Amino acid sequence: MPILELAQLIRFVLVRTSHPGNIGSAARAMRTMGFLRMELVAPHRFPDREASALAAGADDVLEGAGVHEGLIDGLAGCSLALGLSARRRGVDLPEISPREGASRALAAAARGEQVALVFGNERTGLENEELARCHAMVRIPSVDDFSSLNLSQAVQVMAYELRVALLGGDVPEAPARVDVEPPADAAQMERFYEHLAQTLDDIDFHKGRAPTTIMLRLRKLFQRAQMDERELRMLHGILADAQRMATLARKE
Amino acid sequence: MPILELAQLIRFVLVRTSHPGNIGSAARAMRTMGFLRMELVAPHRFPDREASALAAGADDVLEGAGVHEGLIDGLAGCSLALGLSARRRGVDLPEISPREGASRALAAAARGEQVALVFGNERTGLENEELARCHAMVRIPSVDDFSSLNLSQAVQVMAYELRVALLGGDVPEAPARVDVEPPADAAQMERFYEHLAQTLDDIDFHKGRAPTTIMLRLRKLFQRAQMDERELRMLHGILADAQRMATLARKE
């Protein structure tokens, strides 16, 4: 299934959100990762100017957002609901990591099922009866002495993990290098090292030290850099100028 | 090394941040994941009441934050700097994912090295000359038509990936590097680039071409190589000899 269709099967459900700004920030966070479907359960204020301002252009998410009285409506059609919770409570839901949650969500979506990520109120989180409608509890691994993520940041972490899972691993789809210069091959590198060694001789760098150790170190350094042909031409140019100076110096 | 000590070797550097609220939100995001060290480079307003409000209790992060005029100071002591960027630009730094970035950061920290995650201005991101001080570019895999994460959310994603990596204990085994030379830090690299630029001038390399392009290319090349202090000393030695030849040549 194409990424777009999979993403449409996954919704973000925000329950009893107090601050409309957080709804806007959550919409933005979803949108950056390609998720459009938001369901709001009993938001304190919505629609609201602050939500729109903080959505920063993710208006399509806010405009499409459903508003519901109860969680049960927000979850309509879903076969899998994952509740986000910072706290370990007396609810005996399985507790899973965001990565595991993303993986399960995607597996369900790939079967054509609808999936919900459920986020509670900013201060109180999800109530036990809300968690009871979920199939597992996702805990973002925050530190014990400061465990409370901002709502939209929890949304961002989940949306990010889902996006990475959708993309099929953690490789960004782009080519690593922007330019198309061919990498230098072994023979070109060898000619460069010869030129470098000759230049070091010409500028009288060795001064009695063993040239082999130095050349070995320089080789290691430039091998690590994995140069392309253009870079190699540039370095040859520099070496040639240093040699030219050495020749002039000797004429004196 | 215990998690706490590893986390202390990793800093979040925010460059030219416009909105103090974002500094506060970033501090909170870091704090939830156990990261305390923030360095601010030329923030538009700091300290600021809004920053404190949005830190939501992460006062220790804000109070400990260093404020610097330039990025070079913010990177002091770091051997690895990873720049966050949403855009694919004409900078050919290697582009890596947040997960790969976290893994590399942790590997460096496990060797006792200091590491920086570098975040640019909210609107304009990192300038090319700022990216040129980084060793790789981390791209959070946002969708093409809505690629701009809120600053604190980008911080959250990186802090989260670092935390997961730290907890996973899958700290990549240390030294691929056999030698125990300390890696060169940003200030040392900067002095090297100055020496290199001066030498190119002395040996009359530019011949009317723009020195900035050349220097940018050379920076990229040597950044990739992640040199240690001994290698740097060796290169300084070579440059000094080339300069000496140039001086002799001019006397003639």
Side-chain angles (χ1 to χ4, degrees), chain B residues 22 31 35 41 50 86 94 114 118 121 125 143 151 198 224 236 239 246:
Chain B
N22 284 334
R31 189 67 183 80
F35 297 96
V41 175
E50 209 186 330
Q114 294 193 53
V118 188
N121 172 269
V143 294
L151 172 60
Q198 185 57 55
R224 279 208 310 277
H236 275 298
L239 293 177

Side-chain angles (χ1 to χ4, degrees), chain A residues 34-45:
Chain A
F35 296 95
L36 298 171
R37 184 155 178 197
M38 174 183 264
E39 305 293 337
L40 301 170
V41 175
H44 293 202
R45 274 176 19 228

Side-chain angles (χ1 to χ4, degrees), chain A residues 160-161 163 207 224-225 241, chain B residues 141 160-161 207 224-225 241:
Chain A
Y160 161 75
E161 279 288 8
R163 171 93 178 143
K207 304 180 189 66
R224 277 207 312 276
D241 279 328
Chain B
Y160 161 75
E161 279 287 9
K207 305 180 190 65
R224 279 208 310 277
D241 280 329

